[in-house]
Amino acid sequence: MSVNRIKDLGLPLINLVKLRGTPILQQLLLEERLLRSSSENWCIINDGTNSPNIVMGMSGKPCELVELEPVIRDQIPVIKRFSGGGTVIVDKNTLFVSLICNRDDVPHVQPYPRSVMAWSGSLYSDVFNGIGDFQLRENDYVFGDRKFGGNAQSITRNRWIHHTSFLWDYSESNMAYLKLPSRVPKYRLERDHTDFICRMKDYIERSVFIEKTIEAVRTRFTLKELNLDEIDDSCREHLENTRLLTMDELKEAVANTTRSESIAQAV
């Protein structure tokens, strides 16, 4: 489609990248690079990741969010991502959708978390129209009062990213690696992980969800589909905040927690 035709439609251009089983660390590093170094809009859909990983928000502390001893014993990778938000464990049954946008291309969306969240809620209302009791509740996507989609954001002066991990399915044993966070949404009502979340597969087919998401994005942007190897590698230097925590760091966190507990008991 020509540039003039795109202007005639009044829709900004967005690059669509569809992935399957891409490691979540690789995906996050790509998204951070595109947010900070690209001047284009991006929609990245990753159909599952290769193996279980725990992903924490930028300010997350492993000792507060993760059951460290089982994680170390079972060698579960722990990643600290560049965006805010909570902690999730992801695997082959997690679907990822990330939207990276220029502020000027969505001028009705203010570069603040609540405004971006409201915009994304509207987009996914189209995706889940007539499916379950879909709602945006306290920054989560839910069917009724059970969460199936968790969100995180990073906002710069001229751009923002909104990315979501959708629980197509989950393993209860994997959820045991996560602690109950100190700050939880009010609607959780002290429920444990398995009473608080639900499986998206009980409501919609995996391929149908991806198709509907692309169609919802298409109503707001003109799509240009790219393969991963077509993304331009040339970019300016940027601070890379996404990283894999080492097992030594996790062991040190265990040791620090043990020392703190010993001091508290002594006092």
Side-chain angles (χ1 to χ4, degrees):
M1 180 178 291
S2 70
V3 173
N4 289 336
R5 178 58 177 156
I6 292 169
K7 290 181 178 178
D8 289 343
L9 291 174
L11 296 177
L13 181 68
I14 193 167
N15 297 312
L16 172 65
V17 182
K18 293 190 291 185
L19 308 173
R20 181 182 291 273
T22 297
I24 187 59
L25 179 59
Q26 180 184 343
Q27 178 187 339
L28 288 167
L29 289 169
L30 171 64
E31 291 175 2
E32 185 173 12
R33 176 165 66 86
L34 293 176
L35 174 68
R36 304 192 191 285
S37 299
S38 172
S39 60
E40 299 178 283
N41 301 309
W42 297 85
C43 174
I44 299 172
I45 299 176
N46 187 12
D47 187 357
T49 190
N50 60 334
S51 60
N53 284 253
I54 292 171
V55 184
M56 302 191 309
M58 181 172 55
S59 59
K61 297 180 180 179
C63 61
E64 298 176 358
L65 300 168
V66 176
E67 297 290 355
L68 286 168
E69 292 184 359
V71 164
I72 293 169
R73 179 195 66 213
D74 297 338
Q75 297 287 294
I76 304 297
V78 179
I79 298 167
K80 184 169 285 193
R81 64 176 179 266
F82 66 97
S83 58
T87 301
V88 293
I89 183 162
V90 300
D91 60 17
K92 64 182 181 179
N93 285 313
T94 311
L95 306 179
F96 307 92
V97 181
S98 301
L99 295 155
I100 305 171
C101 297
N102 288 315
R103 175 179 179 177
D104 291 344
D105 287 331
V106 279
H108 57 289
V109 179
Q110 296 300 309
Y112 301 106
R114 185 170 295 180
S115 181
V116 174
M117 196 77 238
W119 177 84
S120 75
S122 173
L123 185 146
Y124 286 110
S125 290
D126 292 348
V127 174
F128 296 109
N129 183 29
I131 300 171
D133 180 18
F134 171 78
Q135 299 176 62
L136 168 61
R137 298 190 67 174
E138 300 181 58
N139 300 326
D140 295 335
Y141 300 139
V142 303
F143 289 126
D145 63 352
R146 303 188 73 176
K147 175 179 177 178
F148 68 93
N151 302 288
Q153 299 172 354
S154 181
I155 299 172
T156 66
R157 187 175 68 172
N158 297 314
R159 290 165 64 74
W160 48 261
I161 180 172
H162 176 86
H163 46 193
T164 306
S165 57
F166 290 96
L167 290 173
W168 166 254
D169 196 1
Y170 65 86
S171 163
E172 292 189 13
S173 60
N174 281 349
M175 292 299 164
Y177 291 118
L178 303 181
K179 288 184 176 180
L180 184 66
S182 57
R183 295 178 61 186
V184 297
K186 292 180 181 179
Y187 78 93
R188 183 163 184 158
L189 300 175
E190 299 183 356
R191 290 176 288 171
D192 64 23
H193 291 300
T194 53
D195 288 332
F196 175 54
I197 60 180
C198 65
R199 294 174 167 88
M200 199 167 71
K201 72 175 186 177
D202 293 335
Y203 297 86
I204 188 171
E205 293 291 333
R206 192 167 181 148
S207 59
V208 172
F209 165 72
I210 293 173
E211 291 169 6
K212 283 181 170 288
T213 298
I214 293 171
E215 286 307 307
V217 173
R218 195 190 306 275
T219 65
R220 293 157 173 83
F221 297 89
T222 296
L223 296 183
K224 177 184 177 183
E225 191 163 346
L226 295 177
N227 295 321
L228 187 60
D229 58 8
E230 293 178 294
I231 298 175
D232 186 4
D233 284 334
S234 62
C235 62
R236 66 177 185 272
E237 292 293 326
H238 69 274
L239 181 64
E240 196 171 86
N241 289 313
T242 299
R243 68 185 188 91
L244 177 68
L245 301 184
T246 67
M247 283 295 158
D248 285 342
E249 286 179 285
L250 299 180
K251 290 175 182 177
E252 180 63 24
V254 172
N256 289 339
T257 301
T258 302
R259 282 195 293 269
S260 297
E261 290 174 350
S262 298
I263 292 171
Q265 291 173 357
V267 173

